[in-house]
Amino acid sequence: MPHMGAYAEYVSVPIDLLVPLPDNFDLNLAASMALNYLTAMSMLERHAHSKSGDKVLIQGAAGGVGEALCQLSKHMGLRCMERLQHVILIS
């Protein structure tokens, strides 16, 4: 994942990093999903330096980034509590 600020109209990436989409899939939805998950991953890994076993409180879990935080934190082995306001990471 590149550092923040990698927005561009065109990019060149290795083919194994591409994800095929069905013909009728909304491209705006595909872009927003990637942005939500990249934002969540950046919060967990780069900013909070989370590691397996850490406790995570996710307030605002109803939005796109909040939902991504919930899924990624569970996948990373973090102990996750979800609420509906803001995001707070606790190590």
Side-chain angles (χ1 to χ4, degrees), residues 45-74:
E45 290 184 347
R46 291 198 176 140
H47 300 288
H49 306 287
S50 301
K51 56 191 175 303
S52 183
D54 286 349
K55 295 178 187 176
V56 181
L57 171 61
I58 301 172
Q59 294 184 327
V65 174
E67 185 175 331
L69 279 166
C70 291
Q71 292 177 3
L72 290 173
S73 63
K74 290 175 183 174

Side-chain angles (χ1 to χ4, degrees), residues 16-82:
D16 60 319
L17 295 180
L18 300 177
V19 177
L21 298 173
D23 289 336
N24 61 348
F25 200 85
D26 181 12
L27 296 180
N28 291 322
L29 177 60
S32 66
M33 287 174 56
L35 187 56
N36 287 339
Y37 281 83
L38 290 174
T39 301
M41 186 66 86
S42 177
M43 292 172 74
L44 290 170
E45 290 184 347
R46 291 198 176 140
H47 300 288
H49 306 287
S50 301
K51 56 191 175 303
S52 183
D54 286 349
K55 295 178 187 176
V56 181
L57 171 61
I58 301 172
Q59 294 184 327
V65 174
E67 185 175 331
L69 279 166
C70 291
Q71 292 177 3
L72 290 173
S73 63
K74 290 175 183 174
H75 178 73
M76 293 172 64
L78 303 173
R79 293 182 289 169
C80 181
M81 293 176 47
E82 302 149 11

